[in-house]
Structure formats: structure tokens, C-alpha cells
Amino acid sequence: MNSSPDVGESWQAKRSSPFFLWLIWIIWLPFLVPDSVVLIQAQPPLPRLVVSLSGVVLFTAIYLWATWRNVQRFVAISARPPASARSIWLPIAVLVGLSCALALGNTPGWLSPFIFTSSYIASRLPPTRALPVLGALVLLLVVIGLLTQRPWLEIGQTLGFVVVVGNVVASLVHSIIADRELWVARDEIARLAVTAERLRIARDLHDLLGHNLALIALKSELAGRLVSAAPERARAEITDIEQVARTTLQEVRAAVSSYRRPTFAGELQAAQEILAAAGVRYQYEGDAALMSTLPPSVEAVLSWTVREGVTNVIRHSHARHCVIRGTRNPQIAAVEISDDGTATAAAKDVPTGNGLRGLAERVTALEGRFTATPCADGGFRLAVSIPVGQEDRP
């Protein structure tokens, strides 16, 4: 599983030192001691002793280098390209070759290097590939044990160590990989949750501020025109602006705290006010009280539909007449907002604005249908229908 540097660092912070992880392979090194003692006690010729000990040192060095590369692969904090077949199989071939050479080139032959080879194979190859390779290693060990005339008890003992060490290392490595993938998954879920919450807050703030700021702008413009002609009415409009600003502030605070859900009746009242201020005739067809008995999540989305639809009428359509229709039956609740304007920016089959896009996401989350299209005889139509026969959702 590929991970970002931040995710890798988060996982590595939960892990112990890489040198502690290396103990998975280093802990088996004492198995070399008995064979080394037997070799020295046999007092072979000095050249043969030097060659044999040099082979042991070379085998140990390659084993430590290969296993340290494994440790680095496990604790890598960033994604790496997949390893080539040569980098995987070359250390295995070298370790197997040296194990055979040490077993056949000494009397008595050394069988312990096969234990280290099995631990490396179990950690470097995936289980489906490691099992046949370890099986071939076991057969090779038996053949070499017979060729060097080692006692069956010793051969069986070494075979037991090969199987046990291979299984132990494979289990530990699997645990490490599973632990890392779990941390990566947790960090990814947390990152996605933060992103989703940011999008939710941005969408809610857009829906809240877009409508109310449009109302404030319209009333401010109207009050500016009435200052000299009708001071009393201008004063009333300014009072309304103050009230809308205070209400907007309260709504923003409530939305950020996830406490507020708009009501359908409240949005119809707000729609009537802003349309009247913009000089657009307003008509509602349906029973607002019936819509208020919907599940809260459904009522909230239909309320956002009214708010977004009316906001687009004010901003884009240049309409003179706006109709809002609310219908409900035992299966479906629907809202439709249509106007007779020109529908410039909003008159597209696919919603591209943040408001319509956010509304479409809300509707999709409740398995509803979303339509935003220009009408055949002019104007624009926004329609949303949502199933009501479902449990409430946040």
C-alpha cells in the first residue's frame, strides 16, 4: 500500500527503533556458534580453517545486509517503486549457494546456515511464493544431510528449526505489514473525514451567506434610493438589514456548531421577503404545514433547495415571477422552483456553481433526484425529489 510521507511518519512514530525490528533476524545468529566450535575443535588444516571461517563471515555479512534492507523496506516513510526480480532473488540465490557450500565443504558439514536462509526467504517473499521455495529448501537440506552422512536426528533437528524459524519470521513480518496498513488506513480515513467536514462547512456557509447577503445587498440598494424620497421607509429597510445581519450571524454560528437545520416554513418566509425586496412576484403551491412533518434530514435538504433556488432567481434570472411548488405523498417529497427569467449563468443542464453542486451532493446522499435545467418557454427550473420512507440521516 502506497502512503504519503505524513502517513508513513505517523506509522513510524508508533513503531520501535529499526534496530529493534532487526532483532527478528539477528536473534537467530547464535545458531552459528555450535558449528563454529565443532569446526575449531576438529583442528582442520589452517588453509581450510581460514576458508571455512571466511565463508561463515561472508554468509553472515550478506545475511545481515539483506535483512537490514528488509528492515528499511518495512519502515520506509514514503512509497518506493516495486523491487526488481533481480534484487529479490539474487540475495536468496547467494544465501542458498553459500549454505550448500558450507555444508558440503566441511567435515562435519554445516547445516545451520539453512536456518538463516529460511528466515530471509520467509520475510522477503509473499506467502504464496515463499511456501514452495521453503519446501525446495527443505528437500535440499535433506539431500545435503544425506550426502554429508549427518545423523538423521541432526537432520531432523535442523529441519525443525528451518520450519519453525520460517513460520515465526513470516508471522512477525505479516504482523508488521498489517500494522502498517492499519495505520495507513486510519490516517487516510482521518484525512478524508477532515476534508469532508471542510466541504460540509464550506457548503453550509455558502448556502447561508449567499441568500442572506443577497437580501442585505438588495435592501441596502433599496434603502439608498428611498433615503431622500421616503425617509421613513428607508429607515424601516435599514432596520430590516440590521435584523438580517444579526440573524445571519446566529445562523453561521449554529451551522458551524452543527446545531441548526433549516425549516421548510422558515425558508418559504425568507423567500417571500427577498423576492418582494427584489420586485419579483412570488407564488407558493402546496401545503407548507404538511412538509414540516418530514424527517429532519429530508426537510433540511428541501429547505436548502428553496434557499438556493430563490438565491439563483435573484442573482441570475432577472425574473418577474417565481413559483415554488411543494408536494408530498407517502413515498416522495418534492420541491420545484421555476421562474420566467432569462436564466443566464444558471441555465445549464449540469450545475456548475458551488451552490447547485453542493445541493446536488445533499440530494444524492439521500438517494433523491436532482434536476436543474432551463425551461422550454424561457426561465429556469430547479426540482428536487427525495424518498421519505427511510430513516433520518445526518
Side-chain angles (χ1 to χ4, degrees), residues 16-136:
S16 303
S17 165
F19 295 99
F20 183 79
L21 182 61
W22 201 16
L23 287 177
I24 295 175
W25 295 273
I26 296 178
I27 196 173
W28 314 113
L29 287 179
F31 281 113
L32 285 173
V33 175
D35 285 339
S36 301
V37 172
V38 171
L39 176 64
I40 296 173
Q41 289 178 345
Q43 298 181 350
L46 183 59
R48 186 172 185 177
L49 178 62
V50 172
V51 171
S52 298
L53 293 179
S54 299
V56 173
V57 171
L58 178 62
F59 177 87
T60 306
I62 294 176
Y63 174 78
L64 292 176
W65 170 81
T67 53
W68 178 248
R69 291 288 299 272
N70 260 354
V71 172
Q72 292 179 321
R73 182 168 59 92
F74 292 140
V75 302
I77 63 174
S78 60
R80 292 185 175 183
S84 63
R86 180 179 179 180
S87 64
I88 294 175
W89 291 103
L90 183 59
I92 294 177
V94 172
L95 290 176
V96 171
L98 287 175
S99 298
C100 295
L102 289 173
L104 295 173
N106 293 280
T107 302
W110 287 22
L111 298 180
S112 56
F114 286 95
I115 300 173
F116 303 95
T117 304
S118 69
S119 72
Y120 178 76
I121 293 174
S123 64
R124 191 64 183 89
L125 298 177
T128 55
R129 299 172 66 182
L131 285 176
V133 176
L134 288 176

Side-chain angles (χ1 to χ4, degrees), residues 304-314 337 339 356 359 382:
W304 289 123
T305 303
V306 173
R307 174 170 290 204
E308 181 60 29
V310 171
T311 300
N312 285 339
V313 169
I314 298 298
I337 300 99
D339 61 72
L356 290 179
L359 180 60
L382 173 63

Side-chain angles (χ1 to χ4, degrees), residues 301-361:
V301 173
L302 296 182
S303 302
W304 289 123
T305 303
V306 173
R307 174 170 290 204
E308 181 60 29
V310 171
T311 300
N312 285 339
V313 169
I314 298 298
R315 290 179 175 177
H316 306 300
S317 68
H318 309 293
R320 293 170 297 175
H321 188 210
C322 176
V323 178
I324 301 177
R325 299 179 182 87
T327 58
R328 178 186 176 181
N329 58 47
Q331 290 78 33
I332 297 294
V335 168
E336 177 183 317
I337 300 99
S338 58
D339 61 72
D340 60 353
T342 56
T344 54
K348 296 182 180 179
D349 292 337
V350 180
T352 56
N354 290 331
L356 290 179
R357 187 184 304 113
L359 180 60
E361 293 172 356

Side-chain angles (χ1 to χ4, degrees), residues 66 86 148 178 206:
R86 180 179 179 180
T148 55
H206 174 274

Side-chain angles (χ1 to χ4, degrees), residues 186-197:
R186 286 177 176 175
D187 285 354
E188 183 68 10
I189 290 172
R191 186 186 66 81
L192 292 176
V194 171
T195 301
E197 184 65 10

